[in-house]
Amino acid sequence: MGQKFNFKFNKELLNKGFYTASYFLKASKLVNKYKPNELVCMQFTHFSKEPVMVCGIQESIELLKTCLPKNVLKNIEIYGRQDGDLVKPKSPILLIFGKYQDFGKFENVIDGILARRSSVANNCYQMLRLIKTNQLIYMADRTDDYLVQPYDGYAAYIGGIRNFVTDASVSLLNDKSDVKVTGTIPHALIQEFDGKLNDVMKVYASEYGRKGLIALIDYHNDVKRDIIDISKDFPDTFAVRIDTSKSVCDVSLKKIPKNYGVSDELIKFTRKTLDQVGMKKTRIIVSSGIDLERVKEIKGRNLPVDFYGVGGSLITRNVHITADLVLKNNRHQAKFGRKLFININKKKSLKKYV
């Protein structure tokens, strides 16, 4: 991964232990007082059932380089995988060799970084095994705290995402030439124009141009009405987006359970209506709770979907990282059931960071 990221750290608070669990602070103090010369190895790994795409390694390394004094850093060795690697369960993601009191207080911080970033990166990677990168719009901005957007964006980028909806999501990228910040007409704008989608399209096009124009067609819960309306003035609309809530059924369909939300029938009906009014080149975007399983269904049933707007399912925490001390003075010493999951003589098969 050649991309560089502009990570930002509050060095003062990190070194004070503001983000560190109190027991790690106490442990570091006691080790420094009673066992100051012991050399240990801390291993970060995962125990998922399948290999996962890991992320957060660049960030973790930069955190240590930022926070640790040079005279301390020179006595530490760090080996690990690279962001974007697929790592099997019980395989080292990161190995830190040195004195516990020098780096132990960052254990939970690095744990959290690797867990969150790997979850996001792996979710995006799994989704993009089904669809192309240019078909996926990363819309997780509204499903979590806004402060995490830059770092989730970093992880999503590692996972293969290139279409975002906020500048914050790409703010850590040093080179933004291969990413795009895009979006569609929101419900709020339609509401401001009294539900008149064509009027919205006209002002939107006058300010931002007709190229790439995307219409949101679920405002009235009547996709046929909205498609017929926009076909009069905007037959060249690039795409329509269906964002129908799972709790309602479009008026064009029968109210049976399988037709609620962005159902198979609604997708097919939208394509049929677009074709009938001469908008055969207009593409379809689906959103509203789209997750990996729903994409599998859409692909498996060969439904006419061109793009997917996906949010919350891409930032679900599902990769859990465990940090363990596994060696003491180059000999096994660890919690029962844990060990160094690599031959110590083969540690150089990993990338050496420090």
Side-chain angles (χ1 to χ4, degrees), residues 61-89:
I61 298 301
E62 289 304 315
L63 181 146
L64 292 171
K65 286 182 175 180
T66 298
C67 293
L68 296 180
K70 289 183 178 180
N71 65 317
V72 173
L73 199 60
K74 71 179 183 181
N75 295 320
I76 291 177
E77 286 190 340
I78 305 176
Y79 298 84
R81 302 299 296 264
Q82 299 184 64
D83 283 344
D85 282 353
L86 290 175
V87 178
K88 295 179 180 179

Side-chain angles (χ1 to χ4, degrees), residues 224-243:
K224 183 175 183 179
R225 166 188 166 176
D226 283 344
I227 290 172
I228 291 174
D229 282 348
I230 63 176
S231 69
K232 299 171 184 175
D233 298 312
F234 295 91
D236 57 343
T237 298
F238 172 72
V240 294
R241 175 181 157 210
I242 319 170
D243 192 50

Side-chain angles (χ1 to χ4, degrees), residues 58 66 74 79 85 103 113 117 126 161 191 201 213 238 243 272 280 290-291 312 327:
Q58 282 193 55
T66 298
K74 71 179 183 181
Y79 298 84
D85 282 353
F103 60 83
I113 289 173
R117 311 297 178 255
Q126 295 297 338
I161 301 294
Q191 187 262 0
M201 299 275 281
L213 192 59
F238 172 72
D243 192 50
K272 179 181 177 181
K280 294 184 177 181
I290 301 295
D291 58 15
L327 294 179

Side-chain angles (χ1 to χ4, degrees), residues 14-64:
L14 282 163
N15 278 329
K16 281 183 177 179
F18 184 74
Y19 299 101
T20 300
S22 62
Y23 45 86
F24 290 134
L25 295 175
K26 293 173 181 176
S28 296
K29 182 178 180 180
L30 292 172
V31 169
N32 191 51
K33 183 175 181 179
Y34 295 103
K35 296 283 187 177
N37 299 313
E38 309 292 345
L39 296 176
V40 300
C41 171
M42 181 174 285
Q43 174 181 254
F44 295 83
T45 190
H46 75 91
F47 292 87
S48 304
K49 294 181 180 179
E50 304 290 338
V52 301
M53 177 174 282
V54 295
C55 184
I57 298 169
Q58 282 193 55
E59 185 182 349
S60 298
I61 298 301
E62 289 304 315
L63 181 146
L64 292 171

Side-chain angles (χ1 to χ4, degrees), residues 132-188:
K132 297 178 181 178
T133 299
N134 64 2
Q135 290 183 287
L136 183 56
I137 305 172
Y138 180 81
M139 301 179 71
D141 55 294
R142 68 200 65 191
T143 56
D144 209 335
D145 191 319
Y146 73 96
L147 293 173
V148 302
Q149 287 184 29
Y151 291 89
D152 282 354
Y154 146 56
Y157 182 90
I158 293 295
I161 301 294
R162 294 298 180 268
N163 295 318
F164 298 86
V165 297
T166 72
D167 289 328
S169 295
V170 299
S171 61
L172 297 185
L173 277 66
N174 187 52
D175 180 4
K176 299 180 177 61
S177 61
D178 64 340
V179 298
K180 182 167 62 173
V181 177
T182 185
T184 65
I185 290 171
H187 295 106

